[in-house]
Amino acid sequence: MSGVVHTVLGPVAPDRLGHVQPHEHLLADLSRYAPDDAVDEPLTPANYFAVRVDRNNRRDMVLDEVDTAVDELALYREAGGGTVVDATPVGLGRDPAGLREISRRSGVHVVMGSGYYVAAFHPPQVAALSRDAITRQITGDIEEGADDTGIRAGVIGEIGMSWPAHPDEVKVLQAAAQAQAATGAALLIHPGRHPEAPLLHLRQAVDAGADPTRTVLCHVDRTLFEPDEMLALADTGCVLEFDLFGTESSYYPPDPTVDLPNDGMRVRHIAALVAAGHGDRITIAEDVCRRTQLTRYGGEGYAHILRRVLPLMSARGIGPEDIARITRTTPARLLTLPGRTA
């Protein structure tokens, strides 16, 4: 692959990335999702399960400990991890300087996201910004660096969409698509929680100039549940991201009517897509965004895929070439900014 990858420590050749998890969070603040009756209590073995399942502890929803992130990524590196994409956009707690310190101390490549999340997390000024102004912001993050730090974003997203989408979310998505056309960066879309959302958002992005082959529809495993739905999305040429590995609840807490797949079912869906010839349109991650997902607090940690999921994939007949394509080749292709040199 020609081109480079923008990491928070500078440009890196794509063949240096190793195993990539293209949708994680190292520093983020999801506390706006906390219900009105949420508590703010320390995490202990006695309350771990309730906090993890009920999602009503504000402290669980904030990742702001640089030292903890360094230790967690050290475990990821020991297990064979090479690169993590921090998909935290502006308004969700993005911290370029913190990410740079985490990457430097852990020895793991970190790629930073850009753009905006769902409307509830938009900074107040987004409502007044034009689509072109937001495009310039995102393009500037990639070309020049974020927040006057000189730390460049390497992907666009995760761009947050609701169902039905807020008009400002559509504006941001269209701006992100324009920024992708200008920079060549991959676009990560967090779809609304409805089976029709991924295809609709993809069409909106493509109509605004996005390249579907460099566009990732995230959270497929909480949005689409029928094989035909997944195949129809893959047929567009976009990338399907199964990024909730390690989340083993029998239902989806934000929408209890949804039966959430476990890791075994996720692997079954992936195997079906591979068998249908779509093995080059799949990525996997864990979307770590809460403290109860970290090993320090009793969770699975960033190394869960490396330690448990890849052996499961192999045991269920997904071959080493397909696993390498899913965890290395496709993420490297997406993260490579074409036509650039170090």
Side-chain angles (χ1 to χ4, degrees):
M1 272 174 270
S2 63
V4 298
V5 177
H6 281 179
T7 78
V8 295
L9 294 180
V12 171
D15 61 2
R16 301 291 300 275
L17 298 181
H19 171 95
V20 182
Q21 289 181 201
H23 194 123
E24 307 294 351
H25 300 274
L26 301 171
L27 298 172
D29 184 350
L30 288 167
S31 59
R32 290 188 194 180
Y33 275 147
D36 292 341
D37 61 350
V39 300
D40 185 1
E41 298 175 352
L43 306 182
T44 67
N47 68 12
Y48 171 85
F49 183 80
V51 170
R52 178 91 185 232
V53 174
D54 297 341
R55 302 190 180 198
N56 64 351
N57 186 315
R58 287 188 179 87
R59 198 168 302 192
D60 181 46
M61 299 178 181
V62 179
L63 299 180
D64 61 356
E65 300 170 342
V66 168
D67 289 346
T68 297
V70 170
D71 291 345
E72 296 288 326
L73 279 195
L75 297 174
Y76 175 73
R77 185 182 182 191
E78 289 171 8
T83 302
V84 162
V85 174
D86 184 281
T88 307
V90 178
L92 195 62
R94 189 179 74 165
D95 181 351
L99 294 179
R100 179 169 56 188
E101 181 179 353
I102 291 166
S103 180
R104 179 181 57 80
R105 290 171 55 190
S106 68
V108 173
H109 299 304
V110 175
V111 177
M112 182 175 71
S114 60
Y116 297 99
Y117 193 50
V118 297
F121 289 79
H122 286 180
Q125 64 269 24
V126 171
L129 289 172
S130 69
R131 180 174 68 180
D132 289 345
I134 297 171
T135 298
R136 289 192 293 271
Q137 285 183 345
I138 297 172
T139 301
D141 266 4
I142 295 166
E143 301 286 4
E144 301 165 14
D147 305 332
D148 299 322
T149 63
I151 300 171
R152 292 196 236 179
V155 297
I156 300 169
E158 59 182 298
I159 301 300
M161 305 297 291
S162 303
W163 187 267
H166 189 284
D168 286 341
E169 294 172 349
V170 176
K171 177 177 66 175
V172 169
L173 178 61
Q174 293 169 336
Q178 291 180 168
Q180 189 209 54
T183 64
L187 169 60
L188 280 60
I189 301 175
H190 164 108
R193 294 182 174 93
H194 191 280
E196 296 178 15
L199 276 172
L200 173 61
H201 302 328
L202 179 63
R203 284 197 298 268
Q204 291 170 324
V206 171
D207 288 347
D211 176 356
T213 69
R214 297 189 60 73
T215 300
V216 181
L217 271 298
C218 308
H219 315 319
V220 167
D221 35 350
R222 61 83 162 146
T223 314
L224 302 179
F225 306 102
E226 300 299 329
D228 288 348
E229 295 173 337
M230 297 177 191
L231 289 169
L233 186 60
D235 284 341
T236 67
C238 75
V239 175
L240 282 64
E241 185 172 83
F242 295 81
D243 51 31
L244 298 183
F245 276 99
T247 299
E248 293 273 323
S249 176
S250 61
Y251 62 92
Y252 185 48
D255 183 357
T257 66
V258 171
D259 293 331
L260 193 68
N262 60 19
D263 284 357
M265 184 59 73
R266 293 182 183 104
V267 171
R268 182 180 298 180
H269 288 319
I270 289 169
L273 287 166
V274 169
H278 294 311
D280 60 346
R281 298 176 190 175
I282 302 166
T283 56
I284 60 175
E286 299 174 33
D287 194 17
V288 172
C289 57
R290 293 177 292 127
R291 292 190 187 189
T292 47
Q293 293 174 275
L294 303 176
T295 62
R296 172 165 294 187
Y297 296 100
E300 64 273 23
Y302 298 99
H304 172 67
I305 283 177
L306 284 154
R307 295 189 184 281
R308 302 176 188 91
V309 176
L310 298 191
L312 176 62
M313 293 171 72
S314 179
R316 295 196 173 192
I318 301 176
E321 291 185 0
D322 288 312
I323 290 175
R325 188 176 295 116
I326 290 167
T327 62
R328 294 172 178 258
T329 308
T330 295
R333 173 182 70 80
L334 292 167
L335 295 177
T336 300
L337 295 167
R340 306 183 187 219
T341 61

